[in-house]
Amino acid sequence: PGRNEESRAILCDPPPTGGSGGRGTRRSRRFPWPPLLVVRAMASASRSKLARYFACAGVGVPAAVIGHAAHLRMCYVCPEEPVGDLHGHAGRDLKGAPLRVLFVGDSVCIGVGSNIAAPMQSACAERLATLRGRPVQWRTIGATGADVRELHELVVTRQRSDIARGESHVFDIAVVFCGVNDGKKFIHGRSPSNFREDLDALCASLRDAAPEGRIAVPSITGYKHAPLLQTWGVRHLVPLLFQLFEAQKERLAASARIQCILPPPDRLLGPDDTRLWSKDGIHPSSEGYRLVGDWLGRALHPEPA
């Protein structure tokens, strides 16, 4: 049935229909659309116009917010990927064996929104080299729009390719950026628990490649302050949804499988810092990426306890 018909069916149970002995046929139990639960409770509490008004608002407000979020999602155009290398070195003049850092992630690791590729990784490597006093060699495995399952496939493919070429795929530190694209698939049935299982599988493949390596998964909270998501309602709905996925990183960290790096409480990128955001209002700008990379390098400098 259509939404209106379904809503009426949920709000008003139909009278029993005929059957043997005059007993009505029992309907199969259905789970109503969540905002309608609020409506049903409020509508049954009173017949006053005020109660009915707030009951309708219980549906109208969430529906309007969800509709606006869907509109932003459908109309959003992702910027083109910047040109440049997704690997590099920092601190070449420093002595010692290079610290091998692997970045795995989505558009953030590609540098979408910047005018150069991988500005975050470059800034992170430079900060690490300065703090550690040794050179840093970094590389990237990623794709714009990739969720954790797709990142896992990319990692396994790269590992097999490295082995075939006789190259090492061992790392000292692996940094995984993920979660946002998995959250977008919530409406398709991708649950937070699915995300945790997929992330655990990805980290297991990384661990097999480098048993002594350190795996860090930063908590991505910058989207809360993205200029495009600051419209009324959306700025509250989006954090609530994606926090369900971000919390899974901390659950894995509690099991000692990964290290979950939390951004500073005073946030890195604010919605009013226009120079730190790209024109799309979602991704950081070149300067924004460098700021995040510098923070990440500082966060990765101390060895885990």
Side-chain angles (χ1 to χ4, degrees):
R3 172 63 67 189
N4 292 335
E5 296 177 359
E6 183 180 359
S7 300
R8 287 195 294 270
I10 294 171
L11 290 172
C12 303
D13 294 336
T17 57
S20 107
R23 297 172 61 183
T25 57
R26 186 175 184 180
R27 292 191 307 159
S28 60
R29 181 173 179 82
R30 291 185 293 176
F31 294 92
W33 188 45
L36 290 177
L37 292 173
V38 178
V39 178
R40 187 172 186 176
M42 297 184 70
S44 62
S46 171
R47 293 180 178 272
S48 69
K49 291 182 179 180
L50 184 60
R52 286 198 297 256
Y53 171 79
F54 282 111
C56 292
V59 172
V61 172
V65 173
I66 293 172
H68 183 53
H71 174 73
L72 290 177
R73 179 73 180 93
M74 291 185 294
C75 296
Y76 172 71
V77 178
C78 184
E80 294 185 1
E81 296 182 357
V83 178
D85 294 330
L86 296 178
H87 58 272
H89 296 79
R92 289 180 180 272
D93 56 336
L94 298 175
K95 297 180 180 180
L99 182 71
R100 298 162 296 182
V101 182
L102 171 65
F103 294 91
V104 179
D106 50 25
S107 58
V108 173
C109 284
I110 303 301
V112 170
S114 172
N115 53 15
I116 57 173
M120 179 184 65
Q121 294 94 302
S122 179
C124 176
E126 290 173 3
R127 178 56 61 187
L128 266 177
T130 300
L131 293 175
R132 293 284 185 97
R134 59 185 290 194
V136 174
Q137 179 181 0
W138 60 272
R139 59 193 181 111
T140 305
I141 301 175
T144 299
D147 59 27
V148 171
R149 294 179 185 177
E150 293 164 333
L151 291 175
H152 191 185
E153 293 177 1
L154 291 174
V155 166
V156 172
T157 300
R158 178 68 67 85
Q159 289 174 345
R160 291 172 179 171
S161 177
D162 289 345
I163 293 174
R165 294 195 304 265
E167 298 179 0
S168 173
H169 53 267
V170 178
F171 58 82
D172 298 304
I173 302 175
V175 186
V176 182
F177 281 87
C178 62
V180 172
N181 291 313
D182 295 84
K184 293 177 184 177
K185 296 183 178 180
F186 180 76
I187 59 175
H188 301 297
R190 187 73 60 83
S191 69
S193 60
N194 294 148
F195 169 66
R196 185 179 70 252
E197 293 168 358
D198 295 338
L199 179 57
D200 194 17
L202 167 60
C203 292
S205 292
L206 291 172
R207 182 70 65 201
D208 289 342
E212 302 301 322
R214 172 184 173 190
I215 301 175
V217 183
S219 179
I220 304 173
T221 58
Y223 57 82
K224 296 180 182 179
H225 312 296
L228 187 63
L229 303 180
Q230 296 310 301
T231 54
W232 182 87
V234 173
R235 69 173 178 265
H236 301 294
L237 175 66
V238 171
L240 286 175
L241 172 61
F242 286 100
Q243 182 56 36
L244 296 175
F245 288 81
E246 291 300 312
Q248 305 308 312
K249 300 176 181 178
E250 296 186 53
R251 290 191 63 181
L252 279 182
S255 65
R257 292 180 180 273
I258 64 172
Q259 176 190 9
C260 183
I261 303 177
L262 301 176
D266 55 349
R267 72 192 181 195
L268 291 171
L269 309 179
D272 299 325
D273 298 326
T274 55
R275 74 185 192 284
L276 302 179
W277 296 97
S278 68
K279 293 181 179 180
D280 72 338
I282 291 291
H283 293 89
S285 64
S286 298
E287 186 176 353
Y289 275 119
R290 284 192 289 270
L291 181 64
V292 174
D294 185 79
W295 160 76
L296 184 60
R298 295 177 185 276
L300 292 174
H301 167 51
E303 294 288 350

